Amino acid sequence: MAQQTDQTFEVFDDIRIEMRDGIALSARVWMPEDAKTAPLPAILEILPYRKRDGTAARDETTHAQFVKHGYVCVRVDLRGTGESEGLFDDEYSEQELCDIEDTIAWIAAQAWCSDAVGIMGISWGGFNGLQVAARQPKALKAVVTVCSSVDRYADDIHYKGGCQLTENIGWAATVLSWFSMPPDPAIVGEAWRDIWSDRLENTPFVISDWLSHSARDAYWEHGSVCEDFSRIKAPVLSISGWHDGYRNTPAKLLEGQTTGPVKAILGPWNHKYPHIAAPAPRIDFVAEALRWWDHWLKAVPNGADTDPDYRAYVMDGIEPKSSYETRPGRWVALPKWPAPEVKNTNLTLGDGLLGQSQMTSPISVETDPTCGRAFGEYFPYGFGPGELPDDQREDDALSACFEMAPLDTPLTVFGAPRLRLSLASDQMFGQIAVRLCDVAPDGASTLITYGLLNLRYRDGFDVDRPLEPGRMYDVAIDLDQAAYVVPADHRLRLAVSPSYWPFIWPERGAVTLTLSNGALDLPVLPQGAGSDCHFAAPTGTDREITRTVRVGSEHKTLTTDHGRDQLTIYGDHGEIEFLDHGLRVASEMKEVWSIAHDDVTAAQAELHWDRSMSRGDFSASTRVVTKMHCDEHAFHVTAHLQAYEGEDCVFERVFSDTVSRDPDIGQD
């Protein structure tokens, strides 16, 4: 069906693209009138978050703008999601990447396409854009990747530094909720019930695979473009934010020796496109992307190929808050990355001191399950308060800390610090969380960056090696990229702890770590280095495509009862109606994270998701309750999925699994 607009383009809500096995994916296509007489380049975004309702409002701010500048825009639902046929199997699977290759080939073969295709996306769509670029489909000429990763094991939502992120189970619950919803009957007709039933019967419980692969094996190597950066030949524009979980990718791509050119932009943002992200200042993402597309898809000599390698927003040090409307700072352009302007400073760890003297005696620090309360969210979305790291003082007090003297002049941290440390554990296991903080004269502690390491992976993430209790080991912990000005009179503080709940899942018991000698390699951008740059502010869209039916609300509470902490995060996302097709959608979630003060192995998570869609006499909803707890030997996970048509429960299934903490490989 074609939807005529008052612009010089048409919108087709359901174009069918056939895959090599006969399955058809559903695409929404924005088609300029000019494409009927002269082929145009195409921009593809393909992901599972339901183009009909999930990303429709966001798509209006991107694809509906690109099309006005002479591009055919193609937004596709992945197999088994939205209105597409088939069944979802796993994120970034071979099936998914083959489907994207087939989609690009189909686009290039259309009479309206000039045989030049660009791929863009944020998060999932940012991942698979890089992954398919490494497979080098002939028609793919350029990539814009936002908030993505080059390494599915070391820098994704599952593990970090070999430590299991609590987002692992959180994401599994979210995926089960998203992918259990039916297609829109207005698109697929009466077959919607059969399609929905097939999805529900075959929805995978993906957490089992993610828990089973606790080491960096072939499962994670698949789709990790860092395995061979040279496979990426298409030009890549990589964008991320300092408040996003995927802040390392722009630098990693620049350092990775890709065959094609790479340019990077890093702002103060959360996990959203930079024209709708927070904190401000936002930038005109559409204009930046169009500049990239124009050069690489239309051969416009606009200088996009000669932009500085790295344009980053250097944030001023300010008081810690769990949310900001704006972050003061300045944009800095570095012609090349790695940048010769950035100088490495070596700061030794002393007796509570940083950069002044060496330790004269070892320092011990114990597991404390209350350390980590101030971190915030791994992926801030701007849904509510309390997502960003708050004042770190309470966590600092539960950590081994090393501090510099107050600074005489401001110091700009720019890059990824690395901590080299000699330590011992009193157990065969251990994990370490390292935080670099800016401490103000009044004692307020603002998080600059952090790093994690599961000590059983000290020799590499592909091999799990138990520790010998009491033996000293030399380890290195890489902290995330940062661009942050520590003001004069402030101090740098390095905080080290063997636990960090509820950010990472606790180890199989409490440990005492003994620290003996170490140094922090700190990348510093000298004052005045780098040139100023600027971006245009974002512009608004032409029209609103939804109306609010019900306003939602969010809150976060922490309670302690009988020696047990319980953190509850609640989000009612409200209900909206789409003006073009009348579909109403709503969602609600609750996460409960709890841990006993005297037994870290008694950690538990319980996650609830309710999701609904309706129009007229059509009404469908799902409820997912996912739980995870552990003991010293295994993780225990369950999920209860219910699906409703109206008030009637039409499907119910319980998933359950127990996964050993000990991988089958590499132990000695």
Side-chain angles (χ1 to χ4, degrees):
M1 69 185 80
Q3 175 189 342
Q4 185 67 46
T5 74
D6 59 359
Q7 304 293 329
T8 57
F9 61 90
E10 291 179 300
V11 180
F12 299 87
D13 286 333
D14 183 44
I15 299 293
R16 293 278 146 173
I17 304 175
E18 187 171 322
M19 302 294 101
R20 64 191 69 178
D21 61 356
I23 290 293
L25 305 188
S26 175
R28 191 174 196 221
V29 179
W30 292 257
M31 181 76 66
E33 291 288 341
D34 292 351
K36 297 177 180 178
T37 56
L40 296 172
I43 300 167
L44 168 67
E45 185 174 15
I46 178 168
L47 62 156
Y49 304 135
R50 305 179 59 88
K51 59 178 169 45
R52 185 72 162 164
D53 48 274
T55 67
R58 187 180 78 193
D59 296 342
E60 191 71 16
T61 73
T62 54
H63 298 297
Q65 309 309 312
F66 295 142
V67 68
K68 301 171 189 175
H69 297 267
Y71 292 92
V72 179
C73 294
V74 185
R75 167 66 178 88
V76 180
D77 285 333
L78 284 177
R79 179 185 294 240
T81 69
E83 280 66 57
S84 288
E85 297 175 358
L87 299 171
F88 170 80
D89 56 353
D90 197 359
E91 55 182 11
Y92 321 122
S93 67
E94 180 65 18
Q95 172 182 276
E96 175 181 334
L97 298 183
C98 286
D99 284 351
I100 300 175
E101 289 179 304
D102 290 352
T103 300
I104 291 172
W106 179 89
I107 292 171
Q110 302 309 299
W112 43 257
C113 183
S114 65
D115 197 38
V117 179
I119 192 168
M120 64 169 270
I122 180 172
S123 200
W124 196 307
F127 274 62
N128 64 26
L130 289 174
Q131 291 164 4
V132 78
R135 296 162 77 101
Q136 302 174 14
K138 181 181 178 182
L140 184 62
K141 308 299 184 185
V143 179
V144 175
T145 182
V146 182
C147 299
S148 63
S149 177
V150 299
D151 191 330
R152 293 186 57 217
Y153 179 79
D155 227 5
D156 193 1
I157 203 167
H158 309 289
Y159 296 89
K160 193 172 182 69
C163 300
Q164 184 186 171
L165 298 166
T166 52
E167 283 287 351
N168 197 33
I169 185 64
W171 183 232
T174 305
V175 165
L176 189 56
S177 174
W178 267 110
F179 300 167
S180 62
M181 292 298 288
D184 185 356
I187 295 292
V188 303
E190 290 299 319
W192 75 269
R193 288 187 182 87
D194 292 336
I195 296 171
W196 191 24
S197 177
D198 200 22
R199 286 183 185 175
L200 292 168
E201 291 284 354
N202 293 279
T203 297
F205 193 36
V206 286
I207 188 64
S208 294
D209 281 339
W210 300 343
L211 288 172
S212 298
H213 296 276
S214 58
R216 193 178 194 283
D217 57 13
Y219 178 84
W220 302 111
E221 290 170 359
H222 171 79
S224 292
V225 299
C226 62
E227 292 296 303
D228 185 0
F229 280 110
S230 69
R231 295 287 304 166
I232 300 178
K233 296 184 177 181
V236 175
L237 175 61
S238 178
I239 302 175
S240 193
W242 296 125
H243 291 300
D244 180 54
Y246 296 147
R247 70 202 73 170
N248 297 317
T249 299
K252 292 287 187 183
L253 283 166
L254 286 167
E255 296 163 3
Q257 297 182 337
T258 60
T259 302
V262 174
K263 302 296 179 183
I265 300 172
L266 237 163
W269 311 304
N270 56 5
H271 195 66
K272 287 189 174 182
Y273 277 110
H275 61 302
I276 55 176
R282 301 177 183 91
I283 67 170
D284 190 342
F285 167 74
V286 170
E288 289 301 316
L290 279 169
R291 198 160 168 271
W292 197 251
W293 303 135
D294 284 350
H295 184 81
W296 298 110
L297 303 184
K298 293 182 176 179
V300 176
N302 57 15
D305 56 328
T306 59
D307 282 341
D309 276 2
Y310 205 168
R311 287 171 287 173
Y313 191 76
V314 181
M315 298 190 298
D316 290 343
I318 57 175
E319 64 176 325
K321 292 175 64 176
S322 60
S323 63
Y324 297 100
E325 290 187 8
T326 187
R327 284 296 301 253
R330 73 180 183 107
W331 284 101
V332 172
L334 296 173
K336 297 295 180 185
W337 187 268
E341 297 94 333
V342 175
K343 308 299 182 183
N344 190 67
T345 299
N346 183 266
L347 303 172
T348 57
L349 274 58
D351 298 329
L353 304 175
L354 182 62
Q356 298 175 55
S357 61
Q358 293 187 337
M359 292 187 201
T360 59
S361 59
I363 297 174
S364 295
V365 59
E366 300 177 352
T367 295
D368 190 312
T370 66
C371 182
R373 291 177 175 177
F375 188 87
E377 304 283 342
Y378 187 57
F379 285 109
Y381 290 97
F383 288 155
E387 290 189 314
L388 301 184
D390 211 336
D391 196 320
Q392 302 290 296
R393 274 182 280 197
E394 290 188 10
D395 288 346
D396 293 351
L398 303 173
S399 308
C401 292
F402 306 86
E403 291 186 3
M404 293 181 68
L407 296 170
D408 294 327
T409 59
L411 180 148
T412 300
V413 179
F414 200 115
R418 166 175 278 197
L419 175 63
R420 293 173 285 109
L421 190 62
S422 296
L423 57 76
S425 172
D426 65 342
Q427 304 293 329
M428 297 174 65
F429 50 82
Q431 59 190 11
I432 186 169
V434 178
R435 291 173 294 113
L436 186 64
C437 300
D438 162 21
V439 182
D442 65 359
S445 179
T446 302
L447 183 67
I448 300 173
T449 185
Y450 76 103
L452 305 170
L453 180 63
N454 182 334
L455 296 173
R456 292 167 69 101
Y457 293 110
R458 64 197 176 276
D459 296 323
F461 297 122
D462 57 337
V463 179
D464 178 313
R465 289 194 174 95
L467 298 165
E468 179 183 328
R471 176 183 169 185
M472 280 287 172
Y473 294 93
D474 293 329
V475 301
I477 303 100
D478 290 319
L479 282 66
D480 278 357
Q481 293 277 333
Y484 184 100
V485 178
V486 184
D489 296 326
H490 288 221
R491 292 167 289 153
L492 267 182
R493 174 182 290 162
L494 185 75
V496 178
S497 62
S499 56
Y500 205 47
W501 172 266
F503 189 71
I504 56 177
W505 204 267
E507 259 295 357
R508 58 200 80 194
V511 303
T512 297
L513 297 182
T514 301
L515 315 180
S516 176
N517 298 322
L520 178 69
D521 296 326
L522 187 71
V524 174
L525 185 69
Q527 282 187 283
S531 58
D532 291 337
C533 61
H534 72 277
F535 294 91
T539 57
T541 57
D542 294 333
R543 65 189 187 107
E544 295 293 330
I545 68 167
T546 65
R547 73 174 184 91
T548 300
V549 177
R550 178 176 56 80
V551 176
S553 63
E554 298 87 15
H555 66 257
K556 179 185 291 189
T557 57
L558 175 66
T559 59
T560 300
D561 187 32
H562 295 93
R564 190 175 191 91
D565 278 2
Q566 179 170 296
L567 174 66
T568 301
I569 303 171
Y570 172 79
D572 176 359
H573 306 128
E575 184 176 15
I576 60 172
E577 180 181 7
F578 287 88
L579 302 177
D580 290 343
H581 51 73
L583 196 66
R584 291 188 175 191
V585 296
S587 65
E588 182 179 352
M589 57 77 68
K590 183 175 76 170
E591 300 177 352
V592 181
W593 306 90
S594 63
I595 193 167
H597 292 183
D598 60 355
D599 183 9
V600 295
T601 61
Q604 298 179 6
E606 183 171 320
L607 306 108
H608 299 243
W609 269 101
D610 290 282
R611 199 177 295 274
S612 66
M613 55 192 294
S614 63
R615 181 197 297 110
D617 59 0
F618 161 69
S619 174
S621 62
T622 61
R623 170 166 293 171
V624 175
V625 178
T626 306
K627 299 180 181 181
M628 178 167 164
H629 70 277
C630 63
D631 53 41
E632 61 181 306
H633 302 294
F635 296 102
H636 309 278
V637 288
T638 62
H640 185 191
L641 169 62
Q642 295 172 295
Y644 294 83
E645 185 177 348
E647 300 296 323
D648 299 327
C649 183
V650 296
F651 180 86
E652 188 167 10
R653 183 178 177 185
V654 175
F655 304 84
S656 181
D657 203 359
T658 295
V659 181
S660 172
R661 281 182 176 268
D662 295 307
D664 296 328
I665 63 169
Q667 295 192 20
D668 57 24

